[in-house]
Amino acid sequence: MGEVAGRLVIVGGGVVGLSCAWQAAAHAFTAPADGVVLVDPQPGSGASWVAGGMLAPVTEAWPGEEALLELGSDSLVRWPHFAAELAAMSRADPGLRTEGTLVAAVDSGDREELDALATYLAGHGRPAQRLSGRELRALEPSLGPAVRAGLSVPGDLAVDNRALLAALLAAVANSGVRVLRQRVERVRDDGRSVTGVVLDDGTTLDASAVLVAAGAWSAALHPALARLVRPVKGEILRLRARRGALPPPSRTLRALVQGHHVYLVPRDDGRVVLGATQTEVGFDPDVTVGGVRDLLADAERVLPGIAEYALEETAASFRPGSPDNLPLLGGLGPDGLLVATGHGRNGILLAPVTADTVAALLSGGEVPAVAAVAHPGRFEVVPSVGVRTGVGT
């Protein structure tokens, strides 16, 4: 699409929607400006609020997801500048942490899986340092004796998701974005072009372009998104080290415990985020007893001292999953409809490259080359053969 002339409506106020709104308004990507409007009943909530904040494309890499590894690695490189610019605009600290990530293995099967991951990463030019259990405990003394081996990935980062949201909300306000605390029922178009959005009170907000960044709820907003985004439930716990307890790890700690994945992400105030379960049960909002039990049991194998921590919060939310685990970034359906959703577990990691991609689309500029694999057109039906196109085509 060419440069947007007129109002831009952004549906969704999580990290992705807020990042895109801030960048669009701050850099006048909607010139001639008729305003950027962000619509969300509770900006700064949802999956962005219930998140660990890991910026870890390397330690979350998985064979077969090389395109996602490249996209995440590109966005990780953008993060320091993104955080510095955000801090300047918001006059708030977004909570970027640079200590790196450790990955720990408990039993022999877990160690074999980590060895396979290290071999895979080395084959893709991202070597990770292999460490013994003793070497891991030298770096993080609170690790327990059950930890037998691990990896060090100093390049992976982390961010305090709630500090990040506060900074983004401030940046959006300082950039002149208008925020409507309402729910969007659907995107409206005339069959050729987007004309606006219908709000929950039945009124219509006119727009020249609409960006759908509503996370797991995106699929219901326009027929072009139907079946392309689904909710993937995740449960997290927030813990606090009490007086006399061993302190949390200084780095992000990921672990394999008899095949189960668990992570602990420290905060600056002696707290730690523990996650995360992953289940496909629709929009079921309950935190389950089994989920809490399993997270605590697995984490205690790795970090025995957390038995003395206070359990401050349990929460569940919904990551926006896509059919191939890549996000949907680009134009879809009628002219003027943009989407930035389907980020799965990587919404915060991919915020910088997503915002840059959307900015390029709004201004008629050059989209980052690495984002081409995320164009939603990869799921369009090819009339001559009646099948979906593959990734990157």
Side-chain angles (χ1 to χ4, degrees):
M1 61 183 294
E3 184 178 34
V4 173
R7 178 182 290 149
L8 167 67
V9 171
I10 296 177
V11 185
V15 164
V16 169
L18 290 169
S19 297
C20 293
W22 158 49
Q23 290 288 300
H27 299 286
F29 287 128
T30 57
D34 187 33
V36 177
V37 182
L38 185 141
V39 188
D40 190 298
Q42 193 175 354
S45 62
S48 296
W49 182 257
V50 183
M54 295 179 295
L55 310 176
V58 174
T59 51
E60 289 210 341
W62 192 258
E65 294 187 350
E66 288 75 21
L68 183 58
L69 173 59
E70 294 298 327
L71 185 64
S73 298
D74 180 271
S75 197
L76 184 71
V77 171
R78 298 170 191 259
W79 249 101
H81 175 76
F82 179 86
E85 187 180 9
L86 177 58
M89 176 60 73
S90 65
R91 297 186 290 277
D93 181 4
L96 184 64
R97 299 182 66 110
T98 60
E99 296 89 345
T101 297
L102 295 179
V103 189
V106 169
D107 64 18
S108 58
D110 300 329
R111 184 170 185 170
E112 288 176 4
E113 186 170 337
L114 282 195
D115 285 343
L117 175 62
T119 300
Y120 169 76
L121 292 173
H124 288 81
R126 292 171 175 82
Q129 182 184 3
R130 301 176 196 242
L131 300 174
S132 68
R134 185 185 298 273
E135 290 170 325
L136 284 168
R137 282 183 284 276
L139 294 172
E140 295 292 348
S142 57
L143 288 172
V147 173
R148 300 181 60 178
L151 304 175
S152 174
V153 185
D156 276 0
L157 308 177
V159 68
D160 184 329
N161 61 308
R162 296 183 179 178
L164 172 64
L165 285 167
L168 284 168
L169 287 165
V172 161
N174 294 342
S175 300
V177 175
R178 178 186 171 196
V179 177
L180 287 182
R181 292 178 175 266
Q182 289 185 251
R183 188 176 70 253
V184 171
E185 296 290 342
R186 60 183 176 87
V187 178
R188 192 181 71 171
D189 65 78
D190 61 9
R192 298 182 304 275
S193 302
V194 159
T195 59
V197 297
V198 179
L199 303 176
D200 53 5
D201 61 4
T203 62
T204 297
L205 180 63
D206 293 336
S208 300
V210 174
L211 172 67
V212 175
W217 289 268
S218 298
L221 296 176
H222 193 276
L225 277 164
R227 297 182 297 279
L228 293 185
V229 182
R230 70 188 191 283
V232 181
K233 181 180 177 180
E235 297 163 307
I236 64 98
L237 312 178
R238 294 177 74 90
L239 314 176
R240 173 177 49 83
R242 300 191 303 155
R243 181 176 298 180
L246 288 172
S250 61
R251 303 162 178 81
T252 297
L253 178 62
R254 301 177 63 89
L256 278 167
V257 182
Q258 296 181 321
H260 300 154
H261 292 259
V262 64
Y263 63 73
L264 297 105
V265 188
R267 298 293 187 248
D268 291 335
D269 55 6
R271 289 172 168 82
V272 62
V273 178
L274 167 61
T277 63
Q278 184 166 301
T279 54
E280 304 218 14
V281 290
F283 287 102
D284 170 13
D286 291 333
V287 176
T288 64
V289 171
V292 173
R293 176 201 63 211
D294 292 345
L295 285 172
L296 289 174
D298 290 343
E300 193 175 358
R301 290 285 307 279
V302 178
L303 208 71
I306 68 163
E308 300 299 323
Y309 285 27
L311 175 58
E312 289 195 327
E313 180 183 336
T314 65
S317 192
F318 309 100
R319 306 179 186 95
S322 75
D324 59 5
N325 293 331
L326 282 165
L328 308 171
L329 305 177
L332 182 68
D335 187 45
L337 176 60
L338 302 174
V339 296
T341 186
H343 292 76
R345 64 186 184 271
N346 295 302
I348 295 179
L349 167 65
L350 297 177
V353 73
T354 296
D356 288 346
T357 299
V358 170
L361 291 166
L362 293 171
S363 64
E366 185 175 352
V367 171
V370 73
V373 295
H375 193 282
R378 69 189 186 273
F379 294 119
E380 291 178 351
V381 173
V382 179
S384 59
V385 296
V387 298
R388 294 186 183 275
T389 58
V391 175
T393 60

